Amino acid sequence: LAKTTQPISMDSYEGQEVNITCSHNNIATNDYITWYQQFPSQGPRFIIQGYKTKVTNEVASLFIPADRKSSTLSLPRVSLSDTAVYYCLVAGSSNTGKLIFGQGTTLQVKP
Amino acid sequence: ETGVTQSPTHLIKTRGQQVTLRCSSQSGHNTVSWYQQALGQGPQFILQYYREEENGRGNFPPRFSGLQFPNYSSELNVNALELDDSALYLCASSLGEGTSPLHFGNGTRLTVT
């Protein structure tokens, strides 16, 4: 499974756009990139998943360059409730459910 | 649709005892994965079950075991509890196809004294 590297922590203010970049230099051809959000004492929650270029849903966008060695999660206009830990994971269909989580990025949104 | 539910929410056990944690998967999901999350760390993969068969094991000793039932619910058993087993135990279900995302429960907080 590809190893990922992301910043340990980030600070932002309400209303700002937040971009969290994840490095995955050893990503395999059939690997997808998935981001999860976790609040204290809760299980992780799926945010977004992509393979290449750009994916957008109602809560976030995921940007993946052509070489796929990194990806950026973009959260538009964050609020205090977006304060959480964000995990970037890379896995293919053969490893579904057997994910390797790093320490994630702790995002602190300030008023 | 019913999400993933875990029971109990909290549990206190003594070193050497055994514990059983339970998980009801989301409706329509046939795969269940178990994770251990220590304080301040990311979840660590323990076991996965697909259609009642063990389908993968992480770097955990054999005293961590489990099973999946015909309705795809699951239980995780931990024998000979150690102090380091104190953690949040998370269950996640998925369709088990392609790269379908995991749906996590809110976990069972296990404290071993």
Side-chain angles (χ1 to χ4, degrees), chain A:
Chain A
L1 296 176
K3 179 181 176 180
T4 60
T5 303
Q6 52 184 123
I8 295 294
S9 64
M10 294 182 68
D11 289 341
S12 182
Y13 291 92
E14 282 190 293
Q16 288 188 332
E17 177 185 74
V18 171
N19 295 308
I20 306 175
T21 297
C22 178
S23 172
H24 28 80
N25 291 319
N26 297 320
I27 189 169
T29 303
N30 64 344
D31 283 344
Y32 277 70
I33 301 152
T34 310
W35 286 80
Y36 288 84
Q37 173 194 57
Q38 187 177 26
F39 299 112
S41 298
Q42 293 186 22
R45 182 177 73 98
F46 170 79
I47 302 175
I48 197 166
Q49 183 181 75
Y51 183 80
K52 62 179 180 180
T53 63
K54 176 183 175 181
V55 180
T56 297
N57 61 22
E58 62 275 9
V59 298
S61 294
L62 179 59
F63 298 92
I64 306 168
D67 66 5
R68 303 199 328 121
K69 293 183 182 299
S70 67
S71 59
T72 299
L73 174 72
S74 181
L75 305 172
R77 298 180 299 281
V78 295
S79 64
L80 295 177
S81 63
D82 292 316
T83 294
V85 179
Y86 293 82
Y87 295 99
C88 164
L89 295 105
V90 173
S93 58
S94 62
N95 294 308
T96 299
K98 309 167 193 172
L99 302 176
I100 296 178
F101 284 79
Q103 281 194 296
T105 298
T106 299
L107 172 64
Q108 180 71 50
V109 180
K110 303 174 182 179

Side-chain angles (χ1 to χ4, degrees), chain B residues 10-68:
Chain B
H10 295 82
L11 201 53
I12 300 175
K13 289 286 189 178
T14 302
R15 189 173 52 184
Q17 286 187 315
Q18 178 264 346
V19 69
T20 297
L21 311 179
R22 295 180 173 82
C23 172
S24 293
S25 58
Q26 183 164 316
S27 177
H29 288 182
N30 56 22
T31 302
V32 169
S33 304
W34 286 93
Y35 288 81
Q36 179 196 68
Q37 186 172 28
L39 208 58
Q41 303 296 316
Q44 301 298 305
F45 172 67
I46 304 173
L47 284 168
Q48 183 182 72
Y49 292 91
Y50 172 69
R51 295 187 175 181
E52 302 180 59
E53 296 290 329
E54 184 177 308
N55 190 37
R57 170 180 283 272
N59 189 27
F60 282 81
R63 60 190 184 84
F64 286 80
S65 65
L67 67 158
Q68 186 178 33

Side-chain angles (χ1 to χ4, degrees), chain B residues 83-103:
Chain B
L83 297 179
D84 285 347
D85 295 333
S86 295
L88 181 68
Y89 287 83
L90 295 162
C91 168
S93 72
S94 65
L95 288 171
E97 298 169 356
T99 57
S100 55
L102 301 185
H103 296 254

